Amino acid sequence: MTANDYKALAQTFWKQGYIVIDDFFDENLMSTSQSIIMSHFGESPVYAHDEQFIQLSKAEVVPWFPQREGEHHFDTIEQDPRLIALSDVILGANWYSQYCMVMFSKQGSVGQAWHQDCPPEDATQYNLNRLVYTKDINDDDGGEVYIRPHSHLSGPLSKGPLFEDFEDQVVVLPKKGTLILLHGHCWHRIGEQKRNSRISTNYRAAPQSAAADITDICVYRNMRYQFSKAKVVG
């Protein structure tokens, strides 16, 4: 990629609130990552969040933070020069990495309801989701990514059905090696996992202006939830 390529992608990101780049990562690297992830989870891991959060948010996901446990394989992806360069032009100088979070959805899970990853009232306080896919997401399995373009500029999620379809939503089926960059204020959800398991890995980052705990409160259509206190706060 050239400097102009990065600039053009950043412009698209700030206009839409997201970008999708297929075949960004090497297939062999993705295969190794997938093998490590499945070795950790197995086929039916136990949910880590409390039952109230799962019932209210419909976020049936099991997280894993591999770098915190000394799994350095995931550093290779995070240190990819192209990913760093793209993050530079989107986030500006002195941005920082937050954490690497692998997300596992079991077969039969409802997915994730519409949400924003952090409160949207202050435009300077946001995170960047850098989502990497180590296996294909397809129609038969489910787990599609639903995004409302431009919604990072629309303020808080409206009240309403947790899995409502919108006329302007886009549905993305990431492939093995796909990179999705998604603004933390952008409205998004995940479809039902009808078959097999679903894996995605989020290398979250944030601009220098954002607080270190920017993703501690997640915004849903029916509540705001603070993870550090494990409680509904709005």
Side-chain angles (χ1 to χ4, degrees):
M1 286 188 182
T2 67
N4 285 336
D5 292 331
Y6 292 123
K7 183 178 180 180
L9 286 168
Q11 289 173 341
T12 300
F13 172 86
W14 281 109
K15 179 180 179 181
Q16 296 184 158
Y18 74 97
I19 52 175
V20 180
I21 310 175
D22 290 326
D23 301 315
F24 191 85
F25 290 105
D26 175 73
E27 183 174 350
N28 290 331
L29 178 61
M30 296 295 95
S31 294
T32 301
S33 301
Q34 179 69 12
S35 178
I36 292 171
I37 291 167
M38 292 308 297
S39 293
H40 171 79
F41 282 116
E43 286 298 334
S44 187
V46 177
Y47 289 120
H49 294 301
D50 65 85
E51 187 63 26
Q52 181 195 36
F53 170 75
I54 295 171
Q55 288 299 318
L56 289 174
S57 70
K58 303 301 180 186
E60 296 183 350
V61 174
V62 185
W64 176 42
F65 301 87
Q67 291 172 320
R68 295 178 183 175
E69 297 181 13
E71 179 50 76
H72 297 297
H73 166 81
F74 295 86
D75 299 350
T76 302
I77 297 172
E78 186 172 47
Q79 294 166 4
D80 186 298
R82 301 165 304 150
L83 181 61
I84 292 173
L86 196 47
S87 302
D88 282 342
V89 295
I90 289 174
L91 295 172
N94 300 317
W95 63 272
Y96 64 97
S97 294
Q98 294 184 302
Y99 48 80
C100 167
M101 176 174 60
V102 182
M103 295 172 285
F104 182 104
S105 298
K106 303 178 186 180
Q107 178 180 342
S109 68
V110 298
Q112 299 179 47
W114 286 108
H115 63 283
Q116 296 166 295
D117 291 313
C118 51
E121 284 78 11
D122 184 342
T124 68
Q125 298 295 304
Y126 69 94
N127 71 289
L128 173 65
N129 295 301
R130 301 181 296 174
L131 294 153
V132 177
Y133 294 84
T134 51
K135 63 177 288 189
D136 290 353
I137 307 295
N138 57 63
D139 286 322
D140 290 335
D141 286 353
E144 305 91 337
V145 183
Y146 292 76
I147 303 171
R148 290 198 74 185
H150 318 295
S151 59
H152 63 303
L153 305 174
S154 300
L157 267 167
S158 59
K159 302 293 185 182
L162 302 186
F163 293 92
E164 181 178 357
D165 284 322
F166 295 98
E167 287 187 3
D168 61 344
Q169 71 186 21
V170 297
V171 183
V172 181
L173 291 170
K175 303 299 182 185
K176 183 177 183 179
T178 293
L179 171 68
I180 296 180
L181 299 183
L182 178 70
H183 194 292
H185 295 169
C186 199
W187 304 11
H188 59 287
R189 73 175 180 91
I190 304 299
E192 177 188 3
Q193 192 62 31
K194 296 173 285 189
R195 193 182 69 174
N196 298 315
S197 57
R198 182 189 193 277
I199 300 290
S200 63
T201 303
N202 193 351
Y203 289 84
R204 276 182 168 163
Q208 183 184 28
S209 60
D213 63 350
I214 187 62
T215 58
D216 188 34
I217 295 177
C218 192
V219 181
Y220 295 89
R221 303 194 81 185
N222 59 343
M223 68 167 180
R224 295 190 180 204
Y225 189 86
Q226 187 168 6
F227 293 103
S228 63
K229 296 182 179 179
K231 62 183 291 187
V232 176
V233 293

